Amino acid sequence: MRGEGADTLARRSARSVARVDPGNGACSVLDVVSSSDGEGLAARLSNKQIKLYACDQSGLREVSGLVGHTDRVTGMAIVEEGDGVGVCSCSLDGTVRFWDPRSRREVNRFGGAMVKMEGLTCLAVKNSIIAAGGNGIIHFWDMRTQQKLADFPETHEMEVTKVAFHPSGAPKFFSSSSDGHLCVFDFSNGLDEDDGFEGAQNLSPIEDFGFYGQGGLSIWCKLSSGLALWEWAKFLDIESDEGTGPMFNSMDVRPSMNEACAELKGQVDYVLGCHFNQQSGEFLTIGGTDGGAMVGFPTNPTPRQRDRIFAPPVLLLEGAHNDVVRSLTLFNSGFRDFGVSGGDDGRLAVWG
C-alpha cells in the first residue's frame, strides 16, 4: 500500500523480524501475546506449538518452544504472579495446560484424560481463575488447586469465540460466540451462570472483541469483515436512557476504510481488530491487506447513524509481512512506539 497519504500518516518499518519455523514455510503465526513489560512474547503457531521470544533493543531472540498439545492451540496467556512467570494454553485436544517456560515442561493440566471435554477454543486467566470456552460451554478452574469451579452450558448455543475478564479488575466477565451473542456476567457473588448473568447483545457471529474508552465501559466487536460498537455499561445501567443497542453495527466496514484511505494506492482486504490507547485516548480500527500491510484508522468512539465512522489513517505498518496478518497487538505505551504482529508467512515482527 503506497502513496503520499496524509501529513499525519505515521509510516513504520519493523524493528525486528523472526521466522518462527525456518524449515517449514507453511507454519502460520495465529496469535501473539506479551508480558506486562513487553520483554517476553509468546507466539501461538499453526503446528500445535507455542514459541517464546525475548524482545529487547537488539531485536527478537527465540527462548524456547512448548510442545505437547496434540491438536491446534486455540488460546494462550502469559501468567505473571509474584516473581514467577508461566504460560497457560488451551487446545482443540480438550485440555488446558500450564507451562514452566524455563524448563519447557507442562506443570499442570486441566481437562483431557481425566475429564471428557470437547475441543477448547479460547482462554482467559485472571486472579488464578482459568476460563476456557468450547462448543457452547464455558469451563472455569482454580489454577492453584486444579479444581473445577463451574461450567456454563446454557449461555451459548455454538462455539465460544472469546472469553475475557474486565481489565479494570472489576468482577465482570464477558463471552462471545458464533451464535452472535455477547454476554456480560457479574461474579461479585461467585461463579454462577444464572445469578451472575447481567445481559447480552445479539449481533452477527463474533470473532473477537475488546474494550475501549476510559474505564473500558464500551466494547468493540469484530464481525468477520464487520464491526460493532456497544456501550455495555450504559446498557446495564437501569437508570440510563442510552446505550440499549449497539451504537454502530456494520457487516462490512472495508468500503468505509477504503474511502477513508483513498489517497493511498491499495485497498484494505480484511479487518484485524481495534486498539484503544489509554494514555492518548485514541481509538483505532486496524485493517490489513493480503500483501501484509496494516493500516490504523482513527475511529469515532460514539458514532450515530449518519456519522462517518473512520477518519483518514494515521498509522501504516508495512515491509515485514508478505501474506495475511493474523495478529497485531499495539501497546498502551503509545501505538507509535511498540507493537507485535504475526501472520501466514510464518513471520513474527516487532514494530517501533
Side-chain angles (χ1 to χ4, degrees), residues 203-210 219-229 248-257 268-274 283 285-287 299 309-310:
L203 302 164
S204 300
I206 301 168
E207 294 185 357
D208 193 11
F209 69 83
I219 286 181
W220 59 264
C221 295
K222 176 189 171 187
L223 316 170
S224 184
S225 298
L227 180 69
L229 304 178
F248 178 81
N249 187 7
S250 173
M251 289 296 295
D252 192 349
V253 294
R254 294 173 299 176
S256 298
M257 287 181 165
V268 172
D269 297 304
Y270 52 90
V271 179
L272 266 167
C274 298
F283 180 43
T285 299
I286 311 297
T299 304
I309 183 71
F310 302 122

Side-chain angles (χ1 to χ4, degrees), residues 12-14 29-34 41-42 44 76 162 208-209 220 222 270-276 284-289 292-297 315-318 320-321 324-331 334-344 347-352:
R12 292 291 180 263
S13 299
V29 180
L30 303 177
D31 190 20
V32 185
V33 297
S34 168
L41 300 176
R44 176 167 62 90
M76 63 180 179
K162 185 168 183 175
D208 193 11
F209 69 83
W220 59 264
K222 176 189 171 187
Y270 52 90
V271 179
L272 266 167
C274 298
H275 171 73
F276 179 72
L284 297 179
T285 299
I286 311 297
T289 73
M294 292 157 281
V295 191
F297 298 85
L315 179 66
L316 176 60
L317 307 177
E318 60 181 350
H321 296 286
V324 171
V325 177
R326 296 294 176 184
S327 173
L328 172 66
T329 302
L330 302 171
F331 297 94
F335 71 84
R336 292 184 175 89
D337 297 330
F338 183 43
V340 58
S341 61
D344 285 348
R347 294 175 184 174
L348 183 67
V350 174
W351 305 84

Side-chain angles (χ1 to χ4, degrees), residues 57-70:
Q57 293 299 319
S58 64
L60 286 167
R61 176 174 53 86
E62 184 177 333
V63 176
S64 64
L66 306 178
V67 181
H69 281 297
T70 58

Side-chain angles (χ1 to χ4, degrees), residues 80-85:
E80 300 170 273
E81 290 192 347
D83 297 329
V85 177

Side-chain angles (χ1 to χ4, degrees), residues 163-209:
V163 290
F165 296 92
H166 196 270
S168 69
K172 301 290 186 182
F173 178 79
F174 302 78
S175 64
S176 65
S177 169
S178 298
D179 62 17
H181 290 143
L182 177 63
C183 299
V184 187
F185 295 86
D186 189 306
F187 288 164
S188 298
N189 297 318
L191 304 181
D192 187 280
E193 185 172 22
D194 294 327
D195 293 343
F197 180 79
E198 287 197 303
Q201 188 61 254
N202 188 17
L203 302 164
S204 300
I206 301 168
E207 294 185 357
D208 193 11
F209 69 83

Side-chain angles (χ1 to χ4, degrees), residues 19-343:
R19 183 172 290 279
V20 296
D21 191 356
N24 181 7
C27 181
S28 297
V29 180
L30 303 177
D31 190 20
V32 185
V33 297
S34 168
S35 60
S36 59
D37 59 10
E39 296 181 358
L41 300 176
R44 176 167 62 90
L45 310 182
S46 60
N47 63 359
K48 310 173 189 176
Q49 298 182 24
I50 296 171
K51 284 200 173 180
L52 306 180
Y53 292 82
C55 179
D56 54 31
Q57 293 299 319
S58 64
L60 286 167
R61 176 174 53 86
E62 184 177 333
V63 176
S64 64
L66 306 178
V67 181
H69 281 297
T70 58
D71 207 333
R72 181 164 60 91
V73 180
T74 52
M76 63 180 179
I78 294 178
V79 181
E80 300 170 273
E81 290 192 347
D83 297 329
V85 177
V87 176
C88 197
S89 63
C90 70
S91 167
L92 293 179
D93 65 15
T95 64
V96 171
R97 308 188 188 206
F98 189 79
W99 309 81
D100 179 354
R102 293 166 296 184
S103 66
R104 309 182 186 185
R105 293 182 178 179
E106 175 188 319
V107 177
N108 289 319
R109 182 183 301 195
F110 309 81
M114 299 301 294
V115 180
K116 179 66 175 177
M117 293 196 306
E118 295 186 26
L120 300 175
T121 53
C122 54
L123 177 81
V125 182
K126 187 78 169 182
N127 297 331
S128 298
I129 296 177
I130 298 173
N135 186 18
I137 189 170
I138 305 172
H139 308 273
F140 296 89
W141 290 272
D142 186 319
M143 188 169 63
R144 295 163 298 188
T145 66
Q146 303 179 52
Q147 296 298 308
K148 192 67 168 292
L149 297 175
D151 284 332
F152 287 11
E154 305 296 335
T155 299
H156 295 291
E157 297 178 352
M158 300 173 66
E159 176 184 307
V160 181
T161 54
K162 185 168 183 175
V163 290
F165 296 92
H166 196 270
S168 69
K172 301 290 186 182
F173 178 79
F174 302 78
S175 64
S176 65
S177 169
S178 298
D179 62 17
H181 290 143
L182 177 63
C183 299
V184 187
F185 295 86
D186 189 306
F187 288 164
S188 298
N189 297 318
L191 304 181
D192 187 280
E193 185 172 22
D194 294 327
D195 293 343
F197 180 79
E198 287 197 303
Q201 188 61 254
N202 188 17
L203 302 164
S204 300
I206 301 168
E207 294 185 357
D208 193 11
F209 69 83
F211 303 92
Y212 73 93
Q214 295 303 319
L217 301 181
S218 298
I219 286 181
W220 59 264
C221 295
K222 176 189 171 187
L223 316 170
S224 184
S225 298
L227 180 69
L229 304 178
W230 182 40
E231 293 178 304
W232 67 269
K234 284 187 177 180
F235 174 84
L236 299 179
D237 183 358
I238 60 175
E239 302 298 330
S240 174
D241 294 328
E242 304 179 54
T244 55
M247 296 174 294
F248 178 81
N249 187 7
S250 173
M251 289 296 295
D252 192 349
V253 294
R254 294 173 299 176
S256 298
M257 287 181 165
N258 288 320
E259 179 183 355
C261 65
E263 295 183 21
L264 297 176
K265 296 179 180 179
Q267 68 175 19
V268 172
D269 297 304
Y270 52 90
V271 179
L272 266 167
C274 298
H275 171 73
F276 179 72
N277 189 309
Q278 293 284 352
Q279 279 70 44
S280 69
E282 185 151 32
F283 180 43
L284 297 179
T285 299
I286 311 297
T289 73
D290 290 339
M294 292 157 281
V295 191
F297 298 85
T299 304
N300 187 343
T302 56
R304 299 307 169 193
Q305 187 173 359
R306 296 184 179 180
D307 291 346
R308 176 175 290 185
I309 183 71
F310 302 122
V314 295
L315 179 66
L316 176 60
L317 307 177
E318 60 181 350
H321 296 286
N322 58 21
D323 206 337
V324 171
V325 177
R326 296 294 176 184
S327 173
L328 172 66
T329 302
L330 302 171
F331 297 94
N332 282 335
S333 57
F335 71 84
R336 292 184 175 89
D337 297 330
F338 183 43
V340 58
S341 61

